[in-house]
Amino acid sequence: MTLYSSSHGGERRERLYLDHNATSPLRPACCDAMLEAMEAPRNPSSVHAEGRAAKQMLERARKTVADSISAPVQSVVFTSGGTESDHLGVLGVVRGGPKVRRIFVTATEHPAVPAAAAKAGVPVETVPVLTDGTLDLAWLEERLARYDAQTEGPFLLCAMLANNETGVIHPIAEAARIVRRAGGYTLVDAVQALYKVEIDFSTLGADMLALSAHKAGGPVGVGALVVTPGLGIEPTQGGGGQEENRRAGTHNIPAIAGFGKLAEVASVAEYQQLAVIRDRIEAGLPSGVRAHGTEAPRLPNTSLITALGFSSQTALMSLDLGGIAVSAGSACSSGKVKKSSVLGAMGVPEEETQTALRISLGWNTPEDAAERFLSVWTGEYERIISRAA
Ligand code: PLP
């Protein structure tokens, strides 16, 4: 099912949306939950009947979200999305409870994480990734063996669960174990991984988990920071003391209700099926075209390809004209096509990174998506390559 169609040259065709890692269309069930929540004033901090009804909606959503990742209910702090959750996690443990004194950031994190670390006022170090895109555990182990948390103070590792461009899944449980042994804390950005792979906060070993609803078909503008009980984080802004003094600001109940519904309806099994379509796309590419991160565990919905001679910009525009939406690596707020820094960190030559194309599937991707993508993409690729020859 697609939610919209477009017309090209008078012919009306359904568009094929393959950019779910940028944002996924809102699921009808989430939309219904949001509409219901919008029918009345909903401030859960108010003591009257309307406020109490809002509080019920809030706590129901908190429980569903917490249960969906096997986390304690009170560990879920609702935020405005992944960017805020990353900032709250980083700044919260530098300014609050543990008083973190150094931050290690994996090289392929979403820009929200290094941006938050840069504001923290403590030294920041980059953790390299291997050529398969996974964080370098040997580097981490060796570096932390030289780190003395007793004298240098507690530290924080920021490592994403799954990369937004390649879909590569990092060995988070192992990294968190190394970090804990060395006296540190781990913040895991699980924004892209949520509901696409199993997440069990109770066994992962992370201290904090950053979530966002819109990458899996929930509403934009809502997410959560999951915080291990007892880890006293400092809120990034003062005010009404909501979320047990961890995140001030009136709750966005319609968005939170939509997130709660997402936690009920989204499933890992649903996403696992998409790997078949993703694999058909990769198998149908001509020789010389590379899919990246394929040697590592990956999200089932994501493929990042490079095709020398076929720039991201040209590919994006041709696909768009052919009715297909994809992106060049990550979505960029300027609307410009930006080269992939993730591929750079994996050691891919610059000339190749300029041809990166991310195809990301989601809950409403049709069965014939691989064939439709390949038909448009291959036609354009062959035209451009034969012209250059
Ligand atoms: N973290 C990752 C890995 C992401 O891919 C994104 C969005 O692209 C974010 C954080 C930011 O999330 P939000 O758009 O909810 O602020």
mmCIF file of all heavy atoms in Angstrom, residues 12 58-59 83 91 99 104 121 155 167 175 179 192 224 229 246 254 280 282 284 309 322 329 366 375 388:
data_model
loop_
_atom_site.group_PDB
_atom_site.id
_atom_site.type_symbol
_atom_site.label_atom_id
_atom_site.label_comp_id
_atom_site.label_asym_id
_atom_site.label_seq_id
_atom_site.Cartn_x
_atom_site.Cartn_y
_atom_site.Cartn_z
ATOM 1 N N ARG A 12 -0.565 8.692 -14.399
ATOM 2 C CA ARG A 12 -0.648 8.674 -12.952
ATOM 3 C C ARG A 12 -0.084 7.351 -12.421
ATOM 4 O O ARG A 12 -0.548 6.283 -12.790
ATOM 5 C CB ARG A 12 -2.103 8.836 -12.520
ATOM 6 C CG ARG A 12 -2.192 9.694 -11.296
ATOM 7 C CD ARG A 12 -3.529 10.201 -10.950
ATOM 8 N NE ARG A 12 -3.494 10.540 -9.533
ATOM 9 C CZ ARG A 12 -2.852 11.587 -9.033
ATOM 10 N NH1 ARG A 12 -2.201 12.400 -9.811
ATOM 11 N NH2 ARG A 12 -2.868 11.815 -7.721
ATOM 12 N N LEU A 58 -0.820 8.755 28.911
ATOM 13 C CA LEU A 58 0.642 8.865 29.014
ATOM 14 C C LEU A 58 1.238 7.593 29.610
ATOM 15 O O LEU A 58 2.183 7.015 29.063
ATOM 16 C CB LEU A 58 0.988 10.082 29.889
ATOM 17 C CG LEU A 58 2.443 10.265 30.307
ATOM 18 C CD1 LEU A 58 3.325 10.542 29.100
ATOM 19 C CD2 LEU A 58 2.580 11.430 31.315
ATOM 20 N N GLU A 59 0.647 7.142 30.715
ATOM 21 C CA GLU A 59 1.239 5.987 31.400
ATOM 22 C C GLU A 59 0.995 4.683 30.643
ATOM 23 O O GLU A 59 1.816 3.768 30.709
ATOM 24 C CB GLU A 59 0.727 5.904 32.846
ATOM 25 C CG GLU A 59 1.156 7.091 33.711
ATOM 26 C CD GLU A 59 2.656 7.448 33.608
ATOM 27 O OE1 GLU A 59 3.492 6.547 33.453
ATOM 28 O OE2 GLU A 59 2.985 8.650 33.652
ATOM 29 N N THR A 83 17.119 13.223 18.363
ATOM 30 C CA THR A 83 18.109 14.283 18.587
ATOM 31 C C THR A 83 18.093 14.728 20.035
ATOM 32 O O THR A 83 19.135 14.836 20.693
ATOM 33 C CB THR A 83 17.810 15.481 17.645
ATOM 34 O OG1 THR A 83 17.829 14.996 16.297
ATOM 35 C CG2 THR A 83 18.835 16.589 17.802
ATOM 36 N N LEU A 91 24.449 15.018 27.781
ATOM 37 C CA LEU A 91 24.595 16.140 28.720
ATOM 38 C C LEU A 91 24.088 15.752 30.109
ATOM 39 O O LEU A 91 24.608 16.231 31.120
ATOM 40 C CB LEU A 91 23.855 17.381 28.193
ATOM 41 C CG LEU A 91 24.376 17.874 26.830
ATOM 42 C CD1 LEU A 91 23.516 18.996 26.285
ATOM 43 C CD2 LEU A 91 25.832 18.335 26.946
ATOM 44 N N LYS A 99 28.618 12.530 36.708
ATOM 45 C CA LYS A 99 29.626 13.566 36.401
ATOM 46 C C LYS A 99 30.740 12.997 35.507
ATOM 47 O O LYS A 99 31.921 12.932 35.885
ATOM 48 C CB LYS A 99 30.225 14.139 37.692
ATOM 49 C CG LYS A 99 29.231 14.894 38.547
ATOM 50 C CD LYS A 99 29.216 16.380 38.179
ATOM 51 C CE LYS A 99 28.328 17.204 39.082
ATOM 52 N NZ LYS A 99 26.904 17.202 38.715
ATOM 53 N N PHE A 104 33.644 9.095 24.687
ATOM 54 C CA PHE A 104 34.102 8.392 23.491
ATOM 55 C C PHE A 104 32.914 8.275 22.538
ATOM 56 O O PHE A 104 31.833 7.824 22.945
ATOM 57 C CB PHE A 104 34.606 6.982 23.854
ATOM 58 C CG PHE A 104 35.850 6.999 24.709
ATOM 59 C CD1 PHE A 104 35.760 6.958 26.095
ATOM 60 C CD2 PHE A 104 37.103 7.077 24.114
ATOM 61 C CE1 PHE A 104 36.904 6.984 26.885
ATOM 62 C CE2 PHE A 104 38.263 7.106 24.893
ATOM 63 C CZ PHE A 104 38.159 7.055 26.284
ATOM 64 N N GLY A 121 31.669 20.083 27.267
ATOM 65 C CA GLY A 121 32.767 20.729 27.990
ATOM 66 C C GLY A 121 33.768 19.749 28.580
ATOM 67 O O GLY A 121 34.482 20.086 29.525
ATOM 68 N N PHE A 155 33.624 7.806 32.518
ATOM 69 C CA PHE A 155 33.559 8.192 31.099
ATOM 70 C C PHE A 155 32.274 7.633 30.489
ATOM 71 O O PHE A 155 31.591 6.788 31.075
ATOM 72 C CB PHE A 155 34.800 7.685 30.344
ATOM 73 C CG PHE A 155 34.879 6.175 30.269
ATOM 74 C CD1 PHE A 155 34.313 5.492 29.207
ATOM 75 C CD2 PHE A 155 35.506 5.457 31.276
ATOM 76 C CE1 PHE A 155 34.360 4.106 29.152
ATOM 77 C CE2 PHE A 155 35.561 4.064 31.222
ATOM 78 C CZ PHE A 155 34.985 3.385 30.166
ATOM 79 N N GLY A 167 22.989 0.504 7.846
ATOM 80 C CA GLY A 167 22.195 -0.493 8.581
ATOM 81 C C GLY A 167 23.064 -1.427 9.413
ATOM 82 O O GLY A 167 22.542 -2.334 10.072
ATOM 83 N N ALA A 175 30.633 -4.225 23.649
ATOM 84 C CA ALA A 175 31.203 -2.902 23.948
ATOM 85 C C ALA A 175 30.781 -2.453 25.352
ATOM 86 O O ALA A 175 31.602 -1.951 26.132
ATOM 87 C CB ALA A 175 30.747 -1.891 22.903
ATOM 88 N N VAL A 179 33.100 -1.477 28.597
ATOM 89 C CA VAL A 179 32.959 -0.153 29.215
ATOM 90 C C VAL A 179 32.661 -0.273 30.711
ATOM 91 O O VAL A 179 33.279 0.401 31.543
ATOM 92 C CB VAL A 179 31.834 0.634 28.488
ATOM 93 C CG1 VAL A 179 31.384 1.843 29.295
ATOM 94 C CG2 VAL A 179 32.310 1.060 27.103
ATOM 95 N N GLN A 192 17.485 3.936 14.768
ATOM 96 C CA GLN A 192 17.198 3.192 13.521
ATOM 97 C C GLN A 192 16.875 1.727 13.793
ATOM 98 O O GLN A 192 16.297 1.059 12.935
ATOM 99 C CB GLN A 192 18.383 3.287 12.554
ATOM 100 C CG GLN A 192 18.614 4.678 11.990
ATOM 101 C CD GLN A 192 17.561 5.104 10.974
ATOM 102 O OE1 GLN A 192 16.705 4.325 10.552
ATOM 103 N NE2 GLN A 192 17.605 6.364 10.584
ATOM 104 N N ALA A 224 12.158 8.791 23.049
ATOM 105 C CA ALA A 224 12.363 8.559 24.479
ATOM 106 C C ALA A 224 13.838 8.363 24.756
ATOM 107 O O ALA A 224 14.598 7.932 23.881
ATOM 108 C CB ALA A 224 11.586 7.329 24.933
ATOM 109 N N PRO A 229 17.480 2.644 35.990
ATOM 110 C CA PRO A 229 17.041 3.177 37.284
ATOM 111 C C PRO A 229 18.246 3.519 38.173
ATOM 112 O O PRO A 229 19.226 2.778 38.207
ATOM 113 C CB PRO A 229 16.232 2.017 37.887
ATOM 114 C CG PRO A 229 15.777 1.218 36.703
ATOM 115 C CD PRO A 229 16.866 1.344 35.671
ATOM 116 N N ARG A 246 13.178 14.805 34.828
ATOM 117 C CA ARG A 246 14.233 14.451 33.872
ATOM 118 C C ARG A 246 14.048 15.155 32.527
ATOM 119 O O ARG A 246 14.969 15.255 31.740
ATOM 120 C CB ARG A 246 14.285 12.927 33.686
ATOM 121 C CG ARG A 246 14.705 12.193 34.959
ATOM 122 C CD ARG A 246 14.587 10.692 34.846
ATOM 123 N NE ARG A 246 13.195 10.272 34.729
ATOM 124 C CZ ARG A 246 12.806 8.998 34.657
ATOM 125 N NH1 ARG A 246 13.719 8.036 34.699
ATOM 126 N NH2 ARG A 246 11.529 8.683 34.555
ATOM 127 N N PRO A 254 -0.818 13.515 22.042
ATOM 128 C CA PRO A 254 -1.136 12.815 20.778
ATOM 129 C C PRO A 254 0.071 12.076 20.209
ATOM 130 O O PRO A 254 -0.041 10.927 19.773
ATOM 131 C CB PRO A 254 -1.601 13.956 19.859
ATOM 132 C CG PRO A 254 -2.143 14.989 20.803
ATOM 133 C CD PRO A 254 -1.250 14.928 22.005
ATOM 134 N N ARG A 280 17.059 -9.034 -2.913
ATOM 135 C CA ARG A 280 16.776 -9.096 -4.363
ATOM 136 C C ARG A 280 17.337 -7.861 -5.061
ATOM 137 O O ARG A 280 17.858 -7.943 -6.167
ATOM 138 C CB ARG A 280 15.271 -9.192 -4.628
ATOM 139 C CG ARG A 280 14.696 -10.592 -4.458
ATOM 140 C CD ARG A 280 13.510 -10.847 -5.412
ATOM 141 N NE ARG A 280 12.429 -9.888 -5.334
ATOM 142 C CZ ARG A 280 11.415 -9.928 -4.465
ATOM 143 N NH1 ARG A 280 11.337 -10.895 -3.570
ATOM 144 N NH2 ARG A 280 10.466 -9.031 -4.497
ATOM 145 N N GLU A 282 20.005 -6.116 -4.075
ATOM 146 C CA GLU A 282 21.473 -6.224 -4.123
ATOM 147 C C GLU A 282 21.912 -7.284 -5.132
ATOM 148 O O GLU A 282 22.919 -7.113 -5.827
ATOM 149 C CB GLU A 282 22.024 -6.498 -2.721
ATOM 150 C CG GLU A 282 21.814 -5.290 -1.813
ATOM 151 C CD GLU A 282 22.366 -5.445 -0.407
ATOM 152 O OE1 GLU A 282 22.829 -6.556 -0.046
ATOM 153 O OE2 GLU A 282 22.323 -4.444 0.337
ATOM 154 N N GLY A 284 20.442 -8.017 -7.825
ATOM 155 C CA GLY A 284 20.143 -7.589 -9.195
ATOM 156 C C GLY A 284 21.053 -6.476 -9.697
ATOM 157 O O GLY A 284 20.905 -6.018 -10.830
ATOM 158 N N GLY A 309 30.966 6.339 -11.234
ATOM 159 C CA GLY A 309 30.533 6.940 -12.495
ATOM 160 C C GLY A 309 29.078 7.398 -12.460
ATOM 161 O O GLY A 309 28.638 8.116 -13.353
ATOM 162 N N GLY A 322 11.584 9.099 -11.976
ATOM 163 C CA GLY A 322 10.979 7.798 -12.264
ATOM 164 C C GLY A 322 10.008 7.347 -11.174
ATOM 165 O O GLY A 322 9.565 6.195 -11.191
ATOM 166 N N GLY A 329 23.004 8.451 1.265
ATOM 167 C CA GLY A 329 23.405 8.354 2.662
ATOM 168 C C GLY A 329 22.289 8.884 3.530
ATOM 169 O O GLY A 329 21.138 8.510 3.354
ATOM 170 N N PRO A 366 5.936 -2.303 -1.053
ATOM 171 C CA PRO A 366 5.226 -3.361 -1.791
ATOM 172 C C PRO A 366 6.158 -4.508 -2.202
ATOM 173 O O PRO A 366 7.371 -4.315 -2.309
ATOM 174 C CB PRO A 366 4.694 -2.631 -3.028
ATOM 175 C CG PRO A 366 5.571 -1.446 -3.191
ATOM 176 C CD PRO A 366 6.101 -1.076 -1.837
ATOM 177 N N SER A 375 14.490 -1.733 -12.225
ATOM 178 C CA SER A 375 14.146 -1.358 -13.589
ATOM 179 C C SER A 375 14.529 0.111 -13.847
ATOM 180 O O SER A 375 15.188 0.434 -14.832
ATOM 181 C CB SER A 375 12.661 -1.649 -13.796
ATOM 182 O OG SER A 375 12.108 -0.752 -14.671
ATOM 183 N N ALA A 388 29.587 7.711 -20.799
ATOM 184 C CA ALA A 388 30.935 8.057 -20.327
ATOM 185 C C ALA A 388 32.000 7.206 -21.010
ATOM 186 O O ALA A 388 33.156 7.582 -21.070
ATOM 187 C CB ALA A 388 31.009 7.854 -18.809
#
